[in-house]
Amino acid sequence: MAPHARLDHRNPLVFDTHELGRRPGALQRLTRTIDAPRDLGIQGVIGVPEGAPVELELRLESVMEGVLVTGTARAQAEGECVRCLEPVGLELEADFQEMFSYPDADDRGRVIAEPGDDAEDDEDRLYVEDGLIDLETVLRDAVVLALPMQPVCLDDCPGLCSECGVRLADDPDHHHDAVDIRWAALQGLAGSTTDGEKDEMSGGALPSAHADEKQEK
């Protein structure tokens, strides 16, 4: 990503590399706790809540091409179980490594693009800007890769009942009597036949009763 606006050194994810002095082999180790930026994670699935603490351990190394950043981010992520919809919390640990190139490096640094270079690779490249580097993009990518795409509260979570929505982990014996719709139709037909037979029996008894009454008279 080519530089555009100047970086703000007050941004907690912006780091100063001047101490390295463009001396290949120079090394700087940093630790910093920051407030999580907005939408840090997989939106609508799981992520680190905005403002939650994120611990960063960083290793900044000066190389010929620029500054190589190696680090680890730790935080508490929150989401929702995809099976039973219960809240899910997990300890997040995301490792990352990224090169920040010097935009004005000479040919020895191989940073200046040569004719025919892949333009897409150049767009994805990160740069050192006035001795500063911005880790937000790197952090976001690392967190997304470290988080589960389908978080679950338990590896064997049985989910919800498909008929009534009851959480099956709370009621392992929960079940519904299954009725085959084909048998249900036959049962309905049998019920209708039985009712018809009762009506016929009732109707057949009436004439006999009237006949007996006439004979008595």
Side-chain angles (χ1 to χ4, degrees), residues 102-107 109-114 117 122 125:
Y102 293 130
D104 57 349
D106 57 22
D107 292 337
R110 298 181 181 178
V111 172
I112 299 175
E114 297 291 339
D117 281 358
D122 188 62
R125 184 174 291 161

Side-chain angles (χ1 to χ4, degrees), residues 103-178:
D104 57 349
D106 57 22
D107 292 337
R108 291 175 301 169
R110 298 181 181 178
V111 172
I112 299 175
E114 297 291 339
D117 281 358
D118 191 339
E120 184 176 349
D121 291 343
D122 188 62
E123 289 179 0
D124 293 337
R125 184 174 291 161
L126 299 174
Y127 289 89
V128 180
E129 303 178 26
D130 297 328
L132 303 176
I133 58 174
D134 186 353
L135 290 184
E136 182 168 348
T137 299
V138 177
L139 176 63
R140 289 187 180 279
D141 291 345
V143 167
V144 168
L145 290 175
L147 288 172
M149 294 296 293
Q150 294 187 322
V152 292
C153 58
L154 298 169
D155 290 340
D156 58 350
C157 174
L160 302 176
C161 173
S162 60
E163 295 190 34
C164 66
V166 167
R167 186 170 182 261
L168 297 178
D170 297 332
D171 186 5
D173 298 326
H174 178 82
H175 71 281
H176 294 271
D177 293 331

Side-chain angles (χ1 to χ4, degrees), residues 204-214:
L206 289 174
S208 177
H210 286 299
D212 292 341
E213 290 177 359
K214 288 181 180 181

Side-chain angles (χ1 to χ4, degrees), residues 22-34:
R22 287 202 179 192
R23 302 185 307 274
L27 186 66
Q28 186 178 10
R29 296 183 184 276
L30 299 171
T31 59
R32 182 181 295 183
T33 300
I34 66 165

Side-chain angles (χ1 to χ4, degrees), residues 7-9 11-21 28 30 32 58 60 67 128-135:
L7 296 180
D8 184 354
H9 69 278
N11 185 329
L13 284 169
V14 171
F15 291 80
D16 192 332
T17 68
H18 284 99
E19 186 176 322
L20 298 175
Q28 186 178 10
L30 299 171
R32 182 181 295 183
L58 303 174
L60 280 57
V67 176
V128 180
E129 303 178 26
D130 297 328
L132 303 176
I133 58 174
D134 186 353
L135 290 184

Side-chain angles (χ1 to χ4, degrees), residues 19-95:
E19 186 176 322
L20 298 175
R22 287 202 179 192
R23 302 185 307 274
L27 186 66
Q28 186 178 10
R29 296 183 184 276
L30 299 171
T31 59
R32 182 181 295 183
T33 300
I34 66 165
D35 293 338
R38 184 179 181 182
D39 297 331
L40 182 59
I42 306 172
Q43 193 169 4
V45 180
I46 190 169
V48 181
E50 182 177 2
V54 179
E55 298 178 3
L56 299 175
E57 292 184 5
L58 303 174
R59 180 178 183 270
L60 280 57
E61 182 179 2
S62 178
V63 295
M64 188 69 71
E65 298 88 348
V67 176
L68 179 65
V69 179
T70 305
T72 301
R74 297 183 179 87
Q76 180 73 23
E78 297 178 2
E80 188 177 81
C81 177
V82 296
R83 297 179 187 171
C84 69
L85 308 182
E86 287 293 302
V88 172
L90 59 85
E91 293 290 336
L92 167 71
E93 183 170 310
D95 298 322

